Amino acid sequence: MELTVWRTFVTVCRLGSLSAAAAELNHTQSAVSRQIAGLERQLGVPLVERHARGVRPTAAGEVFRHHALATLSEADRAVRAVRDVRDGVSSRPLTVGATPSLAAGIVPEAVRKLLERAGSVRWSLLPGLSAQLHHRVVAGDLDVAVVTDAPPGLPHDARVRRRFLGLDEMVVALPVGHPMCGRGPVHMRTLAEESWVEDNDGSATLLRQHAARAGVTARIDLTAADLVGKLALVATGHAIALVPGVLRGALRTGVTTVPLLDPPTRGVYALTPRRDPHPCAAALLDRLAAAFAPVRPPHAPARPDEKEPCAAAPASHHGGVETPRG
């Protein structure tokens, strides 16, 4: 399979239109259609389906899109690495993975603070779900993965180091103008009649568990493909949603949040490989931990700041404190 065809498929999925993808890629629409059809013949399944406003990936197409994005990202990294060698640039890129909410929330700011001290460091950011990112750390694709222990939780894996960064309190995302806007912490019972939207099983489980503790049932009437779609449905008034607190500073226009009484929480962790850690990884983890309130698992000592953010550290210092999943 040619990567050019993979790029075409990913572009079609992102834009939701064959004609828009053709315009962006400088192809004809018929050429784009032929590439998608050829890919479907190779895989033996339909990858896209037509709807009133364009096209969208099928269930098989969504699975392929996820893996295609990862493959294309790795291919781009390979090309950049070769060009760096050609141009005499020897610095090792820092590859960071993060869940969608953390990629939109604290990770970019933590990297900015790292670069202020470390100087110029090539880096890339790959969003994904926690389980996917864990596998990519094990495979050697990521230097750091910022993940959560939301259901189904994090596996214990001797191949990676795990550092607790902090606790993230979930909040309720509401459309601006909702009757609950501007209120203090609300009880789940006051939201029992609302329609909810969810985009992944972990968040849906947290919502159902919290509602059950309050003695009510959360009606998850809508499902979104991803976090962006989830917030779009909130902004347009179709539903409300349970979202990570780290997102509060990165919400789209038309969405606000209200805190919950006794909110569900999720632990945020950084995963790093045990072998060949990146020289900047430990310093980045310190920047990430600083974004949270000083909440740590019992008996876990705080780590001092790094004096040299990208200096190689002793093996026992890389990856920070390992903790059990809370």
Side-chain angles (χ1 to χ4, degrees):
M1 296 182 186
E2 295 184 5
L3 290 186
T4 299
V5 179
W6 291 32
R7 292 188 192 278
T8 298
F9 173 72
V10 167
T11 304
V12 168
C13 292
R14 174 168 55 84
L15 298 176
S17 165
L18 295 175
S19 59
E24 180 171 306
L25 297 169
N26 199 26
H27 296 331
T28 63
Q29 183 170 337
S30 60
V32 169
S33 296
R34 286 195 301 271
Q35 289 182 53
I36 300 300
L39 190 57
E40 290 176 326
R41 284 195 299 273
Q42 285 183 287
L43 295 173
V45 292
L47 296 177
V48 297
E49 58 186 5
R50 296 185 179 275
H51 61 93
R53 297 183 180 179
V55 297
R56 61 189 166 211
T58 62
E62 184 60 31
V63 170
F64 183 74
R65 183 190 70 86
H66 166 73
H67 290 284
L69 281 170
T71 299
L72 292 170
S73 175
E74 184 63 25
D76 290 340
R77 285 177 56 203
V79 171
R80 288 196 301 268
V82 170
R83 289 175 177 170
D84 284 347
V85 172
R86 179 197 65 189
D87 298 336
V89 178
S90 59
S91 60
R92 173 180 164 186
L94 174 67
T95 56
V96 182
T99 63
S101 60
L102 294 163
I106 67 169
V107 172
E109 178 64 12
V111 173
R112 184 188 68 80
K113 291 179 178 179
L114 170 71
L115 297 181
E116 286 178 352
R117 295 185 60 187
S120 178
V121 177
R122 291 180 64 88
W123 73 286
S124 58
L125 177 61
L126 177 67
L129 299 181
S130 292
Q132 298 161 352
L133 297 174
H134 169 264
H135 290 311
R136 300 209 69 178
V137 172
V138 172
D141 297 335
L142 295 174
D143 296 307
V144 176
V146 191
V147 299
T148 79
D149 63 1
L154 290 174
H156 289 280
D157 192 328
R159 294 169 293 181
V160 301
R161 293 186 184 275
R162 186 168 73 181
R163 177 177 172 181
F164 176 78
L165 300 175
L167 288 176
D168 185 23
E169 291 188 351
M170 306 295 284
V171 297
V172 178
L174 306 168
V176 171
H178 189 281
M180 292 290 176
C181 286
R183 295 196 181 186
V186 299
H187 197 283
M188 188 66 189
R189 286 194 297 271
T190 65
L191 304 171
E193 301 303 316
E194 298 281 350
S195 292
W196 296 78
V197 56
E198 278 302 345
D199 64 327
N200 67 75
D201 292 339
S203 183
T205 298
L206 282 177
L207 173 59
R208 291 190 179 102
Q209 289 174 345
H210 184 70
R213 287 197 301 271
V216 296
T217 300
R219 292 194 350 251
I220 303 177
D221 295 327
L222 295 173
T223 302
D226 52 27
L227 183 59
V228 173
K230 179 177 178 176
L231 293 175
L233 288 171
V234 173
T236 49
H238 293 287
I240 65 175
L242 189 70
V243 299
V246 294
L247 268 183
R248 281 175 292 193
L251 291 174
R252 57 167 286 169
T253 303
V255 178
T256 188
T257 63
V258 62
L260 283 165
L261 287 170
D262 188 25
T265 62
R266 57 182 194 163
V268 180
Y269 293 80
L271 306 181
T272 53
R274 286 189 176 275
R275 293 186 177 183
D276 193 26
H278 193 283
C280 290
L284 176 59
L285 269 53
D286 287 339
R287 304 284 78 74
L288 291 164
F292 289 93
V295 179
R296 292 186 173 272
H299 314 302
R303 284 168 46 87
D305 257 358
E306 297 289 318
K307 293 182 180 179
E308 298 294 336
C310 289
S316 62
H317 194 56
H318 284 302
V321 178
E322 294 195 49
T323 63
R325 181 172 67 85

